[in-house]
Amino acid sequence: MENFYTLHYSNCLNKLRKDYLFIFSALTLFFFLALAIFAPLISGVNPIIAKSKDGSLKFPAFNSNPGTENYKWAIYPINPYDENKRDIKCFSSPPGKKHFFGTDQIGRDVFARVIYGTRAIMKVGFYSTFFSMIIGFFIGFIIAWDSIIATVFRLIISIFNTLPPFLLLIIVITLNGRSLENVIIAIVISRWGYVANAIGNWCKYFISMEFVQAAQIMGRKSWQIFIKHLIPNLTEIFLILILVTFSFSILMEVSLSFLGLGIKPPTPSWGTLIAESWDQIISGDGAWWMAFFPCIMLAILFVSLNIFIEKLNFAFNPEKKMLIKK
Amino acid sequence: MEEIKKPGVDLITEKLNRLEGKIDRIYKFFEETDEENLLTVKDLKMYFPVFGGVFSTQVATVKAVDGVSFKVKKGETIGVVGESGCGKTTLGRAIIGLYKPTAGKVIFNGQTGAVDLARLDRGEFKPYRKDIQMIFQDPYASLNPRMSVGEIIREPMDIHNPEMSEREKLDKVKWLLNKCGLREEQSARYPHEFSGGQRQRVGIARALATNPEIIIADEPVSALDVSIQAQVINLMMDLQEEFGLTYIFIAHDLAIVKHISTRIAVMYLGNLVEIGDADEVYNNAKHPYSRALLSAVPQPDPERKDKNRIILEGDVPTPLNKPSGCSFRTRCPIAKSECAAKIPELKDTGNGHMVACPFWKTEF
């Protein structure tokens, strides 16, 4: 077992373990992820766990079509509203005991809508980052070596990069219709070229460095050089690209939903929430809570994402040392 | 049109091929008998195509190394000098196999017998990698910033000595660090924590890790301070004495080359113009280019007047479009019309001092 490849990463993990800010931001991101996955457990009309009359345990919150049934006993979520349930007794009510984040003008619970909106954000963020990085990574490695294919790809990338991303998004969504998939496709189309260019150029830079030639002289094979010399050096660049792509796709999703081009209503998204409150804010009704809570969530997500990647970056770079007393 | 098949043709071709193989083997045998030279470079050519235009077609050829021949004996240091762009670095890299030479032979006569390195592909070259190592010019780029010094030094051992245990590898890393003037506990540090001179010592330790026979030093001290240069050069000389290493020392600093080398080779525009014993070339240069080059060495004597300084006119011609015949004739003070006709060959002028100029006796 050759340990000189793992040593670098174990050093990095040691650095991360001591970093409280990293742990905090990681927990925050984990919290957002959990919020998206376990939204029905926090807010919903169906019970989390219930005992039906024939004596079996049921989990109706995870069932997409639970139906109406009388249970012997049941534990309900903390907030008894899902994203579309309307409380006809209070329209546009401010945050209070009954509705934590208030309600909108047709009586829907903002807390539930914010939590269910996390799902859209996370889906768009993860899928578009994943596909942009995969495509960008492979094409980046193709263009790192000079060849005719590389020239062709560089040309295609420059064409894609000159297109304004927002315009491209709007065109794709107008042609294909409003849906989450189309938002993801549009983001990947506008983003893969950026990733490929960055990976390709950095790879080219590291290949030209003398330590790669030294490895060739030692008798390392190309794939060994790739794994042992290029990947550790590319890790930071990869992390930065993930951050940029993730932030970009979240921002794009919110902006598109705000413009009314994102996910189809009534599925909630933070951008839709902000857009719905917009009319009320400018007409002076003062329904600030509808825009305030999604914005706060967005800000927390962005800050923790930035800290997370920044700290990872810090850990993977041995030139940066911790200023912590032992 | 249908091709008429002649049954004899295949047979003849096959026999010819076999004959060719035999001739090759006989030729190789004669080369192998040349026991005393560790490395023989024969008519080595390294051309680089230049691509341009819309369709990336080849528009020109850079003749970086154009027919260089020399022999290296075991235990000697051959210093290669010349101005920048004359092909010194390319020569080193073509010998070590970083570039595949366009033509010529690089015959390495190691413990396992003679072999032409220029003809080997990457897989076949691997067993010989441990015998030929390189020290790089830039100590900041030649060490991977994501690997600790210990990992950098043990990497060659991981490749060539897989039978060594972890303990043995660790001990050898420590031993090498001590030999190169670094401390054992520094093996856990990363390259950025070292100064330029220390990094170059790490580079030397890495080159020594596989017990090589030849080390090609590609301007190993040109990126360092003058005081550090002396330390590194003296370290290299000490190591040579201890391990019986053979150096091919590429540099543009003539004083350093004279200090370390037993023989000096002078290059100009991809050709070797002069080669001989260090003192002989340094004090009694014969080729007009070497004379001009050596007259430019600063002398630490304020009283001495530079009467003998030869100043060359014009610029070095581009290797894209070399002058016909002797490549130095455009700047040569003693150029004659015959110089344009053919490339002069290296000729022995006594004591193994070879000069590539038929008119070297002419005064100027």
Side-chain angles (χ1 to χ4, degrees), chain A residues 121-137 183-185 187-189 191-192 195 238-251 305 309:
Chain A
I121 290 281
M122 285 290 161
K123 255 186 202 163
V124 170
F126 273 102
Y127 283 119
S128 47
T129 308
F130 181 76
F131 288 116
S132 313
M133 292 309 284
I134 292 282
I135 296 170
F137 196 69
V183 174
I184 292 166
I185 288 168
I187 290 168
V188 171
I189 285 175
R191 223 49 197 168
W192 70 272
V195 176
F238 215 67
L239 290 174
I240 299 277
L241 284 172
I242 288 175
L243 168 70
V244 172
T245 319
F246 201 88
S247 319
F248 175 86
S249 42
I250 288 175
L251 209 62
L305 198 62
I309 302 279

Side-chain angles (χ1 to χ4, degrees), chain A residues 3-4 7-8 11 210-211 213-214 216-220 222 229 233 236 316-319 321, chain B residues 93 98 122 126 129 134 136 138 141-142 144-147 151 154-155 158-160 190 192-193 206:
Chain A
N3 75 344
F4 79 89
L7 188 70
H8 173 61
N11 281 350
E210 280 177 343
F211 67 80
Q213 287 155 17
Q216 281 174 355
I217 286 169
M218 276 172 222
R220 275 248 183 264
S222 296
H229 293 275
N233 280 293
E236 284 160 68
F316 281 109
N317 191 347
E319 287 172 33
K321 283 208 163 162
Chain B
R93 292 182 171 207
L98 269 178
R122 284 187 72 168
K126 199 183 168 186
R129 294 270 184 208
M134 194 166 191
F136 286 92
D138 185 356
S142 61
N144 187 343
R146 298 288 172 271
M147 279 161 78
E151 293 162 345
R154 58 169 282 181
E155 196 184 354
D158 288 333
I159 301 165
H160 294 289
Y190 285 94
H192 72 273
E193 294 169 74
R206 174 176 62 185

Side-chain angles (χ1 to χ4, degrees), chain A residues 301-318:
Chain A
L301 180 59
F302 265 95
V303 169
S304 52
L305 198 62
N306 264 296
I307 293 171
F308 182 75
I309 302 279
E310 154 101 56
K311 290 293 167 190
L312 270 182
N313 200 358
F314 178 89
F316 281 109
N317 191 347

Side-chain angles (χ1 to χ4, degrees), chain B residues 1 38 77 90 151 167 175 258 270 295 310 320 354 360:
Chain B
M1 208 171 94
L38 190 60
T77 304
T90 313
E151 293 162 345
R167 189 74 232 166
W175 180 76
K258 199 224 165 196
S295 78
I310 304 161
L320 280 168
M354 316 263 272
W360 59 272

Side-chain angles (χ1 to χ4, degrees), chain A residues 16-238:
Chain A
L16 285 178
R17 269 218 307 262
K18 293 177 196 160
D19 201 335
Y20 297 116
L21 215 50
F22 170 77
I23 293 165
F24 180 73
S25 63
L27 286 177
T28 318
L29 285 181
F30 190 72
F31 167 74
F32 272 98
L33 201 62
L35 217 57
I37 295 166
F38 301 114
L41 299 190
I42 301 155
S43 180
V45 285
N46 294 314
I48 304 167
I49 185 164
K51 189 143 195 173
S52 59
K53 279 184 175 158
D54 54 356
S56 61
L57 278 178
K58 283 191 171 175
F59 306 97
F62 291 106
N63 197 343
S64 54
N65 229 342
T68 48
E69 198 182 329
N70 292 322
Y71 303 111
K72 273 183 180 169
W73 54 265
I75 300 167
Y76 281 90
I78 231 170
N79 189 29
Y81 299 94
D82 71 1
E83 75 269 38
N84 291 323
K85 192 187 176 190
R86 289 169 66 180
D87 186 355
I88 42 169
K89 280 173 194 158
C90 31
F91 298 124
S92 296
S93 72
K97 245 183 184 175
K98 203 176 171 195
H99 299 283
F100 304 130
F101 288 180
T103 55
D104 64 2
Q105 64 269 45
I106 54 169
R108 289 178 297 193
D109 187 59
V110 175
F111 181 74
R113 287 182 74 72
V114 167
I115 285 174
Y116 280 90
T118 321
R119 292 185 145 186
I121 290 281
M122 285 290 161
K123 255 186 202 163
V124 170
F126 273 102
Y127 283 119
S128 47
T129 308
F130 181 76
F131 288 116
S132 313
M133 292 309 284
I134 292 282
I135 296 170
F137 196 69
F138 282 109
I139 291 173
F141 280 116
I142 291 168
I143 64 172
W145 283 270
D146 284 326
S147 66
I148 294 168
I149 305 167
T151 319
V152 172
F153 269 122
R154 277 183 185 278
L155 200 70
I156 295 170
I157 287 166
S158 18
I159 291 167
F160 271 93
N161 283 0
T162 44
L163 296 171
F166 212 80
L167 199 67
L168 192 74
L169 284 166
I170 290 171
I171 289 168
V172 169
I173 284 152
T174 337
L175 288 177
N176 291 347
R178 292 172 66 179
S179 73
L180 203 66
E181 289 75 31
N182 286 339
V183 174
I184 292 166
I185 288 168
I187 290 168
V188 171
I189 285 175
S190 64
R191 223 49 197 168
W192 70 272
Y194 179 85
V195 176
N197 235 350
I199 295 276
N201 291 342
W202 276 104
C203 215
K204 209 169 184 179
Y205 168 73
F206 285 124
I207 289 165
S208 71
M209 298 277 275
E210 280 177 343
F211 67 80
V212 171
Q213 287 155 17
Q216 281 174 355
I217 286 169
M218 276 172 222
R220 275 248 183 264
K221 294 187 184 81
S222 296
W223 65 269
Q224 287 172 325
I225 291 173
F226 175 74
I227 289 173
K228 290 185 171 147
H229 293 275
L230 284 183
I231 292 286
N233 280 293
L234 283 173
T235 316
E236 284 160 68
I237 291 138
F238 215 67

